[in-house]
Amino acid sequence: MPESPAKTVTEAGGGGPVALPPESQRSTAPRVAVASLIGTTIEYYDFAVYGTASALVLGPAFFPSGNATVSTLAAFLTFAAAFVSRPLGVVLFGTIGDRLGRRRALVASLLLMGVATVGVGLLPTYETAGLLAPVLLVTLRLLQGVSMGGEWGGAVLLAAEHAPPGRRALYAAVPNIGPSLGFLLSSAVVVPTLDIVGRDGFSDWAWRIPFLLSAVLVVVGLWVRTTVAESPVFKAETGGGTRTPAWAETEDRPAEQSPASRFPLGTLLARHPGRLLLGTGAAIGGSAVYYLTIVYSLSYGPKTLGIPQNTMLTAASIGAAAGIAITLPVARLADRVGRRPLMLTGATGSVLWAVPMYASLSSRNALLITGAYAVGLMLLALMFSPMAAFLAELFPARLRYTGASAAFILANTLGGGFAPLVATWLNSQWSSPLVLGFYTGGLCLVSLACLATLPETREDDFAV
């Protein structure tokens, strides 16, 4: 039986006509969004597990030193190594996603992350294997980074390009919950394990458990991702994903709409460098807030300020849950009033709240820290919930996977990946949590300036 023809509607907010997919395809949109969420949750679970292990145990296990700060710094350096390799993932999976399909890229990225994470759980320590142990650890971290370079952009695009008209920000925000949900899932594994075996048992052997459990999650994620449909926007562009698009054969198309875009990153840099830089800047502050709160403070609080480990994990977990709770309502509002008003509000709030949030650590009061983190991560959600759709809308369809991924990953690398290293150095020079607030607030100010420069994208035609 032939498919019913696509209808045309006007995007909410006064935009131009947008193709409405057939009923059968629209009914798959929620399932695709959930599949994208499952994938990003698993990927960020793997990443969060490593970040938590870096803060707790990986320094002494793989980089033994007479100086605890040096060991921790070395462990965070391997954490940053994965961010250095993320741009390679953008090139690799961006090319696959823009040329062969979003779904293929996402399946490959998830498989690579699973292999690398389980591999970390099986590694010998320095005591057993000597220098080979840290070399293998860094190698696996680099592979994790390559995987992450292709994950976020693809997951957001698959959900957004399936979204019904007027709900693009909502659907794009669903996989954007994955980072916080992944952290909560990692905490749900790490905290009970710590309680059961104790700090010594966790340091000796039980740190491997969260990494090995990743194998089960990846199998589930792969099954889900292989059962969802390819992006309708990509299929329309490529005639079902099986041939070169017809418009690529004409000579009056711009470079991103021609066979020359076999290397999408090159076309992106040549045609849209301004939007790439501003998009990166727009996301850099939120990346710093996330990684300093979710990763660095879990080490800094207990080791430097004497705050109990469970207090820090609980505060970060409750803060992450608060951010998750408002993510979808904020995204729905962004579909009605636009992306920029909400992101500008979130960025402004983050600039103002950064110093009070980290100053709460000086109190060593669990309730005060938890409240401060909850407010901070809710402001992050206000800024990042519309960000998923916003970054995707900045770039044309044929460069969208590469463009959105590159902007987000560069922001994550510059604002998040090196944040624990910068924070460790800052606190070695000025022994006060206030420096974390000034550092984070400064990066959020950069985001505020970039967001003020970029245009509203809610009414843009997403099909071109």
Side-chain angles (χ1 to χ4, degrees):
M1 185 176 186
E3 274 190 358
S4 59
K7 301 175 184 177
T8 301
V9 298
T10 299
E11 182 79 78
V18 177
L20 183 63
E23 290 293 334
S24 60
Q25 188 169 298
R26 292 208 309 276
S27 66
T28 68
R31 186 159 61 90
V32 170
V34 171
S36 296
L37 171 62
I38 290 173
T40 53
T41 299
I42 294 170
E43 293 251 8
Y44 276 90
Y45 164 83
D46 293 345
F47 227 68
V49 162
Y50 189 92
T52 302
S54 294
L56 300 180
V57 69
L58 292 186
F62 289 89
F63 305 96
S65 168
N67 187 312
T69 300
V70 172
S71 292
T72 301
L73 197 60
F76 280 139
L77 189 59
T78 63
F79 182 80
F83 287 84
V84 174
S85 63
R86 280 186 178 194
L88 178 59
V90 171
V91 175
L92 175 63
F93 293 110
T95 301
I96 294 173
D98 281 330
R99 294 193 62 215
L100 302 178
R102 318 320 194 190
R103 189 177 64 171
R104 291 184 185 182
L106 287 172
V107 169
S109 71
L110 183 58
L111 181 61
L112 180 60
M113 175 62 83
V115 169
T117 303
V118 172
V120 172
L122 297 173
L123 282 181
T125 63
Y126 185 91
E127 184 179 5
T128 303
L131 285 175
L132 181 62
V135 169
L136 291 174
L137 179 64
V138 171
T139 300
L140 291 174
R141 281 298 291 163
L142 291 173
L143 291 177
Q144 281 187 320
V146 172
S147 170
M148 288 296 292
E151 171 59 33
W152 183 88
V156 165
L157 288 192
L158 198 63
E161 291 180 344
H162 274 89
R167 296 196 173 188
R168 203 157 58 217
L170 176 64
Y171 276 75
V174 172
N176 218 24
I177 295 173
S180 293
L181 204 56
F183 169 73
L184 289 177
L185 186 59
S186 74
S187 296
V189 174
V190 171
V191 172
T193 303
L194 273 169
D195 288 341
I196 292 171
V197 304
R199 182 64 182 261
D200 291 339
F202 191 83
S203 298
D204 288 341
W205 62 272
W207 64 268
R208 300 178 183 274
I209 293 174
F211 290 99
L212 297 177
L213 283 177
S214 176
V216 178
L217 299 175
V218 168
V219 170
V220 174
L222 287 172
W223 174 76
V224 171
R225 281 199 167 168
T226 54
T227 61
V228 300
E230 180 55 87
S231 157
V233 173
F234 178 82
K235 289 169 70 175
E237 290 275 332
T238 60
T242 59
R243 62 174 174 81
T244 301
W247 46 249
E249 300 170 3
T250 64
E251 295 182 357
D252 59 345
R253 292 281 182 171
E256 65 264 21
Q257 295 183 350
S258 73
S261 59
R262 290 173 181 172
F263 184 54
L265 182 61
T267 307
L268 177 71
L269 293 174
R271 296 275 172 168
H272 306 283
R275 287 203 166 191
L276 176 60
L277 288 175
L278 289 172
T280 299
I284 199 170
S287 298
V289 172
Y290 179 83
Y291 283 102
L292 285 178
T293 304
I294 298 299
V295 176
Y296 177 74
S297 68
L298 299 185
S299 170
Y300 174 72
K303 291 182 179 179
T304 303
L305 301 177
I307 302 170
Q309 189 73 61
N310 278 355
T311 296
M312 293 305 305
L313 281 169
T314 300
S317 297
I318 291 175
I324 289 173
I326 71 166
T327 293
L328 296 186
V330 168
R332 190 69 187 101
L333 186 59
D335 277 324
R336 295 175 179 173
V337 304
R339 291 44 163 145
R340 290 179 75 250
L342 298 172
M343 292 188 296
L344 288 168
T345 301
T348 302
S350 295
V351 170
L352 297 175
W353 188 247
V355 171
M357 178 169 69
Y358 293 111
S360 70
L361 297 174
S362 296
S363 72
R364 298 174 176 79
N365 181 286
L367 189 59
L368 191 60
I369 295 170
T370 301
Y373 273 30
V375 172
L377 291 174
M378 288 174 75
L379 288 169
L380 173 63
L382 195 61
M383 182 167 37
F384 259 30
S385 179
M387 187 72 70
F390 182 71
L391 290 180
E393 291 161 350
L394 287 177
F395 304 100
R398 288 297 286 175
L399 301 175
R400 191 168 289 144
Y401 198 124
T402 301
S405 296
F408 187 78
I409 293 306
L410 283 173
N412 257 225
T413 301
L414 298 174
F418 292 103
L421 287 173
V422 174
T424 299
W425 180 82
L426 287 174
N427 276 298
S428 71
Q429 304 300 310
W430 299 278
S431 186
S432 168
L434 291 178
V435 298
L436 301 180
F438 289 119
Y439 172 61
T440 305
L443 290 180
C444 288
L445 191 60
V446 171
S447 290
L448 181 61
C450 291
L451 287 169
T453 304
L454 284 164
E456 178 59 63
T457 60
R458 178 174 64 115
E459 299 179 1
D460 289 0
D461 187 352
F462 204 53
V464 297

